């Protein structure tokens, strides 16, 4: 029998959409009926020495633009999911959100899917190492 999960979180990297889309579809398959699928994207924080140069409204616009892009990707692929966009260190924000939201399963794509059994991306590796 297939294992299903109540709350699935897919960490999506817009820069690697083709891999992310496969993981997103897999996340939907692993969500049980009535389960919740959530897509999270974490953008790197703006370094403190650049804070003064980037107005908050520009940052907010970027977050909203990312949310819209993710929603379009999900909608275009018939995937129903809540979109979460955060700023900070990706593995830290993903794990914090997973804890807060009571996530049962975190999925993330490796940047090198051809050799994913041997090497996984740095964010994926950190998520695995730091998950409680």
């Amino acid at each position: 029998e297939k294992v299903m999960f109540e709350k699935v979180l897919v960490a999506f990297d817009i820069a690697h959409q083709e891999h992310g889309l496969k993981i997103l579809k897999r996340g939907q398959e692993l969500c049980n009926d009535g389960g919740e699928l959530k897509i999270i994207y974490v953008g790197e924080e703006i370094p403190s020495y650049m804070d003064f140069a980037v107005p908050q409204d520009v940052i907010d616009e970027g977050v909203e633009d990312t949310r819209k892009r993710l929603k379009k990707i999900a909608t275009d692929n018939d995937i129903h999911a809540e979109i979460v966009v955060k700023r900070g260190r990706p593995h830290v924000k993903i794990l914090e959100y997973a804890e807060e939201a009571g996530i049962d399963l975190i999925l993330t794509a490796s940047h090198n899917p051809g050799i994913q059994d041997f090497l996984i991306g740095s964010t994926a590796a950190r998520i695995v190492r730091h998950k409680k």
Side-chain angles (χ1 to χ4, degrees):
E1 187 171 306
K2 198 166 153 182
V3 176
M4 303 297 274
F5 298 89
E6 187 64 33
K7 292 184 178 186
V8 176
L9 179 64
V10 176
F12 196 95
D13 185 350
I14 289 177
H16 296 91
Q17 278 188 41
E18 63 286 351
H19 304 308
L21 196 50
K22 289 178 190 171
I23 299 296
L24 196 51
K25 289 177 179 175
R26 185 71 179 129
Q28 185 164 310
E29 291 169 7
L30 290 169
C31 232
N32 62 11
D33 291 339
E36 297 174 34
L37 178 64
K38 298 172 187 279
I39 304 168
I40 188 168
Y41 171 81
V42 182
E44 289 288 343
E45 243 171 351
I46 294 171
S48 56
Y49 62 84
M50 290 292 295
D51 271 351
F52 72 93
V54 184
Q56 186 61 44
D57 61 329
V58 171
I59 294 169
D60 294 343
E61 239 175 69
V63 168
E64 191 52 37
D65 180 56
T66 300
R67 188 182 322 280
K68 286 177 184 172
R69 286 176 64 191
L70 288 172
K71 192 66 178 169
K72 181 171 175 18
I73 290 166
T75 303
D76 289 352
N77 290 280
D78 199 29
I79 294 169
H80 306 283
E82 178 185 335
I83 308 297
V84 179
V85 179
K86 304 269 186 186
R87 296 200 71 75
R89 295 179 66 202
H91 75 283
V92 171
K93 293 297 181 181
I94 290 166
L95 290 171
E96 282 176 0
Y97 180 78
E99 183 76 22
E100 290 167 15
I103 298 297
D104 302 314
L105 177 68
I106 301 171
L107 296 175
T108 185
S110 167
H111 293 282
N112 299 312
I115 56 172
Q116 68 189 12
D117 293 331
F118 304 105
L119 301 171
I120 57 176
S122 60
T123 298
R126 287 183 184 120
I127 289 170
V128 171
R129 276 198 303 273
H130 297 283
K131 179 67 183 129
K132 295 176 187 166

